[in-house]
Amino acid sequence: MTTLTAEEIERLADELGQMVVEVALDKPAPQGMETGSEAWHAKRRQGIGGSDITTVLGLNPWSSPQALWRLKTGRDQPSPGNVYTQRGQTMESGLLAWYGQATGHTISAGKSGRHRAWPHIRLQGNADGQVDGSDVLANTGYMGDGLLEIKTTHQASTMAARYLGGCVPMAHLLQVHLYMDVLGYQWADILTAIGKDKHAETWALDDCRMVAFRILRNERILQSIAASADDFWACVESDRQPTWGRHRLASDVVMATVSTKITRLIDRRPP
């Protein structure tokens, strides 16, 4: 196993354009559950979601495994939503429709669920949408239906710079891998809408730069996600705080991104 120092992990991740630079957006609630409600937060506390996994691994500069543990054990309360999370939720349905029209793919509602080894592996996921696999050429290696993830960010953000530079941020790469594992997908598309006004509650789609990538699942990343999640949840169940800053598998995850097949599908500038 290759072991890297914390400084080497950060440098390599930054060179790959996959450093975690912003807190991942909270997902909208599953159907029949109100986002931000007590039931919604209770469900999130039951397992590890896509926006948690970079924190579990110690790759999130905005949080830590210890802070996440305090949330999962009910010691701390989650922060309320902000303009960024609200904008993502407001624009999601329009972006799903836009993606279908732009690609010619049939887009349907996203699935939600728990890992097949639940409760041993406490992973849970909630996809934004699903891409009909019959619309995708079989010889590309992307078999079956695909997961669709929607992101929004403003043009001055580091996240936008990564996407426009042809890279997928680490937080989003791990998020869709967790969802692929939980929900049974072999590939995932990420559509990112990049707007001008950082504080706007929504953007007109015609005014956004649209960037999309297709990602083929990497089993090495999935193995590290499951193992690190198992370590973290053992801490939750035993009520003992995690002792790591960087998880022992963090360097493996970063190295595995090098061999992950990622293809840029769309880069559309506003008219």
Side-chain angles (χ1 to χ4, degrees):
M1 178 184 297
T2 302
T3 302
L4 304 179
T5 65
E7 291 76 14
E8 288 171 331
I9 290 173
E10 289 184 357
R11 184 173 66 252
L12 178 57
D14 192 50
E15 289 172 356
L16 292 171
Q18 295 170 328
M19 185 62 183
V20 182
V21 294
E22 294 188 11
V23 178
L25 298 180
D26 281 336
K27 301 294 295 180
Q31 188 173 4
M33 188 181 297
E34 183 181 352
T35 301
S37 67
E38 184 176 343
W40 181 75
H41 285 302
K43 182 176 177 63
R44 287 173 62 85
R45 285 196 298 270
Q46 292 174 5
I48 297 167
S51 60
D52 297 327
I53 194 60
T54 50
T55 305
V56 168
L57 285 161
L59 291 171
N60 184 352
W62 303 102
S63 188
S64 67
Q66 293 73 33
L68 182 63
W69 174 83
R70 289 194 292 272
L71 286 172
K72 298 299 183 182
T73 57
R75 287 172 167 81
D76 290 345
Q77 297 302 309
S79 301
N82 54 36
V83 66
Y84 308 121
T85 59
Q86 292 168 1
R87 182 172 60 225
Q89 293 164 17
T90 299
M91 296 183 64
E92 181 178 299
S93 60
L95 286 167
L96 289 170
W98 184 92
Y99 192 68
Q101 294 171 359
T103 61
H105 298 329
T106 301
I107 309 300
S108 56
K111 299 189 295 185
S112 61
R114 291 172 168 175
H115 195 278
R116 57 194 174 279
W118 185 283
H120 175 64
I121 299 179
R122 287 275 183 158
L123 298 177
Q124 54 189 7
N126 180 26
D128 293 331
Q130 177 174 284
V131 183
D132 187 344
S134 64
D135 296 334
V136 180
L137 294 176
N139 61 8
T140 64
Y142 299 98
M143 305 301 291
D145 294 333
L147 162 78
L148 178 55
E149 179 69 16
I150 301 296
K151 299 295 181 187
T152 64
T153 190
H154 60 93
Q155 63 182 10
S157 69
T158 310
M159 185 191 302
R162 297 303 184 201
Y163 275 116
L164 295 176
C167 302
V168 176
M170 178 75 81
H172 299 170
L173 185 67
L174 297 186
Q175 182 181 23
V176 297
H177 266 84
L178 186 149
Y179 292 161
M180 283 191 279
D181 194 17
V182 170
L183 303 175
Y185 293 104
Q186 295 298 312
W187 55 279
D189 288 357
I190 299 180
L191 170 65
T192 301
I194 302 172
K196 296 179 180 179
D197 186 351
K198 177 179 180 179
H199 302 291
E201 294 182 1
T202 188
W203 299 314
L205 298 186
D206 286 345
D207 294 337
C208 295
R209 186 163 178 179
M210 301 291 194
V211 181
F213 289 85
R214 181 163 291 162
I215 301 165
L216 186 65
R217 66 187 271 162
N218 185 322
E219 297 298 330
R220 183 177 168 188
I221 292 177
L222 298 184
Q223 292 168 6
S224 294
I225 285 176
S228 61
D230 193 34
D231 289 345
F232 179 84
W233 205 258
C235 294
V236 173
E237 290 186 329
S238 64
D239 203 38
R240 57 180 175 82
Q241 186 168 261
T243 57
W244 64 87
R246 303 272 180 170
H247 192 273
R248 58 187 172 82
L249 294 174
S251 58
D252 269 15
V253 168
V254 174
M255 292 297 293
T257 62
V258 176
S259 60
T260 301
K261 183 178 179 181
I262 303 175
T263 305
R264 178 153 51 186
L265 301 177
I266 295 173
D267 186 358
R268 192 220 67 168
R269 298 174 182 270

